[in-house]
Amino acid sequence: MLREILRRLVATIPVMGVVAIAVFALLHVTPGDPAVIIAGDYATAEDIARIRTKLGLDQPFVTQVGIWLGRIVRGDLGASIYSGLPVTTLIKQRAEATISLTLLAMLISILVGVPIGVLAAWRRGSWLDRGVMVFAVSGFSMPTFWLGFLLVYVFAISAHWLPVQGFQSIERGLWPFLRHLILPAVTLSVVYMALIARMTRASMLGVLDEDYIRTAFAKGLAPRRVLVRHALKNASLPVVTIIGIGFALLIGGAVVTESVFALPGLGRLTVDAIVRRDYPVIQGVILLVSAVYVLLNLVVDLLYVVLDPRIKY
Amino acid sequence: MASTLPALGADLAVAPPAERLSAAGRARRFARRNPTLLFGAVVMTVIIAGGVLAPAWWTGDPLEMQPADRLQAPSAGHWFGSDNFGRDVYTRTLYGTRVSLVVGAAVALASLVIGTALGLVIGFYRRLDAVMMRVMDGLMAIPAILLALALMALMKASVRNVIIALIIPEIPRVIRLVRASVLSLRELTMVEAARALGARTPRVLVRYILPALVAPLIVQATYICASAILFEAYLSFLGAGTPPHIPSWGNIMAEGKTYVQLAFWIILFPGLFLALTVLAINLIGDGLRDLLDVR
């Protein structure tokens, strides 16, 4: 098993290499001189020259890629053009809000999405099932930021139950932290929850027709036990897979959710960097997020072994 | 045996053969069997008519500012209220439909054409396959919205560039779909037979493989269209999409962001249109998938 994990980790290196080169190459495949675009509309010739040297754009392309990859391997993502701070420092400053938001949203989506998917499949064709399906389709189509504003309007502006926006570090206490995070996390979770509920239902429908489920019911086991121990366990592979793949959606949603709720996270860092055309910061965030995505899907792959003993590596 | 025959005959007598139904009857039966497709199509027809014929629906000038009328709540004069410059939100929302529809349709069409062409080639030439699929895995590891944002940071804000920025993350996904189908289709007997009769690869691809791909690709196109419309709004909302002077749903909502507490309608109505449009297109996709029996 340990050898398999190592082998898989090594196998992610080419994928991450492609990500790194692609993110870097974007600077060159987009039309126009990148130094001129990054410098902005009011830049002087000196500004442009300075940026060109700073980003190493005066070197041949292959040399640039080599230098860039070498720096990444050493954990150096360069420095922001705007503030001059190292990109890794900026990311560390902003990581808490994003990690809290995405983890909480993930937790809510799984804790709600899986049970409603199971119930919908169990009561197939009932009103409950239809309700879950309507939620799954409409939740998936919901513009995240619009939903965020709706929730803010109802729970913060009209009812005054929760703060409109902002973030409190967990160091200031659990309750202030959760109070500020609950609306953004619910907002962000809806799309992901819809996806998980739909996949759980579909996967459960396939399993519930099996003989061993009928046997389990026939021998008088409690429905809850049959659904969870017998059915869900066997239906869990596609669900776990969609949780891994759906993480990309979650991150995209986090960028807009942070903007709606003024959370000081990586999404805001990216959006600010885009307005300032601070490309090193954008590169750094994309690289980091993609790495997390690849690793998460690696964990999903390894989970298969735990969930299904027939799969052996 | 004999006793079952009359029963069968009776069944047949009750249900008239399909060809005897009138055109209207057939349409009604089609609608009854495909409710999601019908609902999606009706909503989309209304929205397309709203956008294309925007000047005909009692709208004004989407750019006209009336400072005296700023931040008015919905009323007979301003159906969806007015924004911070006194512009009519109803008019702007209807005109905003145009940007969304153009972006959705263009992204779906272009990523489909480019992705299919590349996918066919990659799927058929084994030497390319291994390398190209690693490259695609890498590209797909970058969340689409971040890739689009990065591209917008490097290009001037325009509708054309938004379309380009949204096509690029979609292409690897289409390539993957096409390649997977090609790999299974090329093992079919008819393809083998065609090859044995001397058909060259381009002919096999166009005459035998491509037709089998039409149904899954149509379904995929609807999903791409829905997500492109959503992403255009995200990009515009974040200030990295359609230029601010063009009324698009994302832009209207971005401007309304500051006035959530005072004038919630600036965000409510364009968002409602956006949610309904994306929902309708996704429902059309689901309906087509069932109808065309994809997967």
Side-chain angles (χ1 to χ4, degrees):
Chain A
M1 187 66 194
L2 196 68
R3 266 184 65 183
E4 181 56 30
I5 296 177
L6 274 176
R7 202 186 64 78
R8 289 290 183 114
L9 270 175
V10 172
T12 60
I13 292 174
V15 175
M16 284 315 298
V18 170
V19 174
I21 294 172
V23 172
F24 187 77
L26 284 185
L27 263 177
H28 296 268
V29 293
T30 40
D33 181 347
V36 174
I37 295 169
I38 289 173
D41 294 337
Y42 306 105
T44 59
E46 290 92 74
D47 289 339
I48 296 171
R50 188 175 52 83
I51 285 170
R52 185 169 290 135
T53 359
K54 195 166 180 196
L55 295 181
L57 294 170
D58 44 0
Q59 314 261 346
F61 180 70
V62 180
T63 320
Q64 289 183 42
V65 172
I67 295 173
W68 161 243
L69 290 178
R71 282 199 350 233
I72 296 173
V73 172
R74 279 179 275 126
D76 174 10
L77 294 174
S80 155
I81 295 174
Y82 177 77
S83 65
L85 291 170
V87 173
T88 42
T89 310
L90 290 171
I91 288 178
K92 270 182 214 145
Q93 285 173 357
R94 303 296 193 100
E96 189 194 347
T98 302
I99 293 174
S100 320
L101 173 66
T102 40
L103 278 186
L104 193 60
M106 223 170 181
L107 200 70
I108 298 173
S109 332
I110 296 171
L111 287 183
V112 180
V114 172
I116 61 174
V118 169
L119 288 177
W122 184 38
R123 292 275 175 249
R124 183 186 330 181
S126 69
W127 284 105
L128 179 80
D129 183 20
R130 275 178 218 176
V132 170
M133 281 312 281
V134 167
F135 166 77
V137 177
S138 48
F140 189 70
S141 309
M142 190 65 86
T144 304
F145 58 108
W146 185 64
L147 179 69
F149 282 121
L150 287 184
L151 292 177
V152 164
Y153 190 75
V154 173
F155 293 102
I157 296 175
S158 302
H160 296 292
W161 289 343
L162 292 163
V164 175
Q165 45 180 216
F167 179 73
Q168 289 286 323
S169 171
I170 196 161
E171 288 159 12
R172 301 261 196 98
L174 189 64
W175 177 235
F177 169 78
L178 280 180
R179 244 172 70 85
H180 282 87
L181 216 52
I182 192 83
L183 281 186
V186 169
T187 303
L188 180 55
S189 69
V190 166
V191 172
Y192 203 39
M193 194 190 291
L195 195 67
I196 292 174
R198 192 170 175 163
M199 186 52 87
T200 308
R201 178 184 174 275
S203 180
M204 283 290 286
L205 283 181
V207 171
L208 284 176
D209 285 336
E210 298 284 339
D211 288 341
Y212 59 83
I213 298 293
R214 200 181 44 196
T215 311
F217 274 119
K219 72 182 183 185
L221 285 183
R224 209 175 118 168
R225 200 178 156 84
V226 179
L227 287 177
V228 176
R229 281 286 191 80
H230 293 71
L232 184 58
K233 189 160 187 219
N234 284 292
S236 59
L237 285 193
V239 180
V240 174
T241 309
I242 206 78
I243 289 174
I245 294 171
F247 178 74
L249 270 178
L250 200 65
I251 282 296
V255 176
V256 277
T257 309
E258 284 176 12
S259 180
V260 171
F261 292 94
L263 300 179
L266 293 174
R268 281 281 298 288
L269 181 68
T270 316
V271 172
D272 291 347
I274 280 159
V275 176
R276 295 169 188 150
R277 303 194 185 265
D278 196 346
Y279 200 69
V281 176
I282 304 172
Q283 276 179 331
V285 174
I286 293 187
L287 208 58
L288 177 80
V289 169
S290 309
V292 173
Y293 177 76
V294 170
L295 287 180
L296 185 74
N297 280 290
L298 174 68
V299 172
V300 165
D301 268 8
L302 295 171
L303 265 181
Y304 286 175
V305 189
V306 181
L307 293 169
D308 188 346
R310 284 170 302 183
I311 300 177
K312 283 233 173 64
Y313 289 132
Chain B
M1 251 338 255
S3 65
T4 61
L5 282 175
L8 270 176
D11 269 357
L12 285 174
V14 174
E19 56 267 33
R20 271 209 220 135
L21 277 172
S22 65
R26 256 178 309 185
R28 233 174 292 141
R29 195 182 59 182
F30 181 81
R32 205 171 48 241
R33 286 183 185 172
N34 303 283
T36 55
L37 194 57
L38 182 74
F39 178 80
V42 169
V43 173
M44 270 324 279
T45 312
V46 172
I47 284 174
I48 292 172
V52 175
L53 307 174
W57 307 110
W58 307 280
T59 54
D61 178 351
L63 302 178
E64 190 196 321
M65 303 184 190
Q66 291 173 314
D69 264 9
R70 61 195 297 268
L71 301 177
Q72 296 284 306
S75 66
H78 295 292
W79 292 353
F80 292 177
S82 68
D83 70 5
N84 51 316
F85 292 112
R87 293 172 299 194
D88 184 46
V89 176
Y90 170 70
T91 303
R92 290 174 68 73
T93 303
L94 241 54
Y95 277 91
T97 312
R98 294 178 170 184
V99 176
S100 291
L101 293 177
V102 167
V103 170
V107 172
L109 199 68
S111 47
L112 215 62
V113 170
I114 302 171
T116 307
L118 291 173
L120 284 176
V121 174
I122 293 173
F124 231 87
Y125 294 99
R126 287 211 169 140
R127 241 173 284 164
L128 272 174
D129 190 61
V131 178
M132 286 310 287
M133 286 328 283
R134 290 294 81 73
V135 174
M136 294 306 137
D137 282 347
L139 290 178
M140 282 194 295
I142 307 173
I145 204 93
L146 286 181
L147 184 52
L149 277 170
L151 284 164
M152 285 312 292
L154 295 171
M155 297 189 288
K156 285 209 169 352
S158 72
V159 175
R160 192 197 63 159
N161 286 345
V162 169
I163 293 171
I164 295 175
L166 292 176
I167 290 173
I168 290 172
E170 291 295 351
I171 290 177
R173 291 171 173 82
V174 179
I175 290 182
R176 190 165 214 160
L177 172 80
V178 171
R179 174 214 174 238
S181 314
V182 170
L183 287 188
S184 62
L185 288 170
R186 73 174 187 187
E187 305 302 329
L188 292 182
T189 323
M190 67 168 184
V191 174
E192 213 177 305
R195 296 205 143 240
L197 286 172
R200 287 172 194 279
T201 303
R203 187 182 160 86
V204 172
L205 285 176
V206 174
R207 294 295 298 267
Y208 294 88
I209 309 275
L210 200 56
L213 282 169
V214 170
L217 284 176
I218 288 175
V219 174
Q220 191 66 18
T222 56
Y223 294 138
I224 293 176
C225 179
S227 80
I229 289 177
L230 208 51
F231 282 2
E232 184 277 325
Y234 284 0
L235 292 180
S236 301
F237 177 75
L238 295 173
T242 307
H245 62 87
I246 300 174
S248 82
W249 293 335
N251 279 339
I252 303 172
M253 286 189 270
E255 284 172 24
K257 192 166 76 168
T258 329
Y259 304 94
V260 196
Q261 316 219 13
L262 287 171
F264 190 60
W265 51 86
I266 306 177
I267 284 175
L268 181 67
F269 292 105
L272 194 65
F273 270 64
L274 173 62
L276 267 179
T277 307
V278 176
L279 177 65
I281 300 175
N282 276 333
L283 286 176
I284 293 176
D286 285 356
L288 285 176
R289 192 188 50 196
D290 295 343
L291 187 70
L292 302 172
D293 198 20
V294 177
R295 262 172 293 169

